[in-house]
């Protein structure tokens, strides 16, 4: 029938687009299963086509969302805010202490990078471990308590 031909053509297009990507291949398999289930149900042609179209669109949207999610990068605080957080804890005296803290699995804040030196160098904001840990105020543009340093 015309419905079966259209479905077969759609499936061939989806398969050819999905070559090389595992998620897309899985989506193609899922669509094949939906087509087979729909064909077995023997509904009137119009209802079956609408149901099939809806299911195919749902699978495409799920695939697009999964791809977007997998490409998303973590979001961290800006350097100055992250530094304020680190200084408020006042727990680290050196880079070694920071790395030990990370290795012990203590870091639970997803807005603080595990390797701040690498992340903030890429952002062009890194000023060194002493500055980050609050051990030196060299190059500080703002005071942490919000008061002028000259008062």
């Amino acid at each position: 029938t015309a419905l079966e031909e259209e479905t077969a053509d759609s499936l061939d297009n989806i398969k050819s687009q999905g070559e090389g990507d595992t998620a897309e291949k899985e989506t193609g398999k899922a669509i094949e299963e939906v087509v087979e289930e729909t064909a077995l149900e023997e509904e009137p042609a119009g209802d079956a086509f609408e149901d099939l179209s809806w299911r195919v669109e749902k699978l495409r949207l799920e695939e697009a969302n999964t791809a977007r999610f997998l490409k998303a990068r973590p979001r961290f605080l800006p350097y100055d805010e992250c530094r304020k957080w680190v200084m408020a804890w006042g727990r680290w005296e050196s880079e070694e202490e920071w790395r030990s803290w990370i290795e012990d699995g203590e870091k639970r804040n997803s807005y603080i990078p595990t390797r701040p030196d690498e992340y903030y160098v890429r952002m062009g904001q890194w000023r060194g471990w002493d500055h980050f840990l609050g051990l030196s105020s060299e190059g500080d543009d703002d005071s942490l308590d919000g008061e002028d340093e000259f008062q």
Side-chain angles (χ1 to χ4, degrees):
T1 66
L3 174 62
E4 291 172 345
E5 289 176 18
E6 286 181 41
T7 304
D9 290 341
S10 296
L11 246 144
D12 290 338
N13 289 338
I14 291 169
K15 284 181 184 176
S16 66
Q17 292 172 358
E19 290 177 5
D21 191 284
T22 307
E24 290 176 354
K25 287 180 183 177
E26 290 175 8
T27 303
K29 289 177 186 176
I31 291 172
E32 283 180 24
E33 291 172 6
V34 168
V35 170
E36 289 171 7
E37 289 173 10
T38 305
L40 293 176
E41 293 173 0
E42 295 187 22
E43 294 180 9
D47 292 340
F49 187 70
E50 287 178 24
D51 186 52
L52 178 61
S53 296
W54 178 84
R55 290 182 185 190
V56 168
E57 184 61 23
K58 179 182 176 206
L59 289 169
R60 283 188 185 148
L61 288 172
E62 287 174 351
E63 179 182 324
N65 190 43
T66 300
R68 181 191 55 79
F69 176 78
L70 293 175
K71 289 179 183 178
R73 299 188 63 147
R75 295 180 181 231
F76 298 122
L77 290 173
Y79 178 82
D80 292 329
E81 296 299 316
C82 183
R83 181 173 180 259
K84 288 177 185 178
W85 182 88
V86 168
M87 291 175 62
W89 273 74
R91 182 175 185 162
W92 308 277
E93 299 274 330
S94 67
E95 175 184 356
E96 290 77 29
E97 287 183 7
W98 175 271
R99 296 206 187 278
S100 173
W101 181 69
I102 297 296
E103 288 172 7
D104 292 343
E106 297 283 332
K107 181 183 165 285
R108 287 180 175 69
N109 190 328
S110 61
Y111 297 107
I112 306 298
T114 301
R115 296 184 187 109
D117 51 339
E118 293 175 14
Y119 178 75
Y120 291 115
V121 160
R122 279 185 276 145
M123 306 302 283
Q125 300 173 333
W126 185 250
R127 299 180 195 164
W129 278 101
D130 286 345
H131 186 264
F132 179 72
L133 298 174
L135 304 175
S136 98
S137 60
E138 190 173 310
D140 233 351
D141 293 337
D142 59 307
S143 62
L144 294 177
D145 56 7
E147 297 176 14
D148 263 79
E149 293 179 11
F150 300 108
Q151 284 184 350

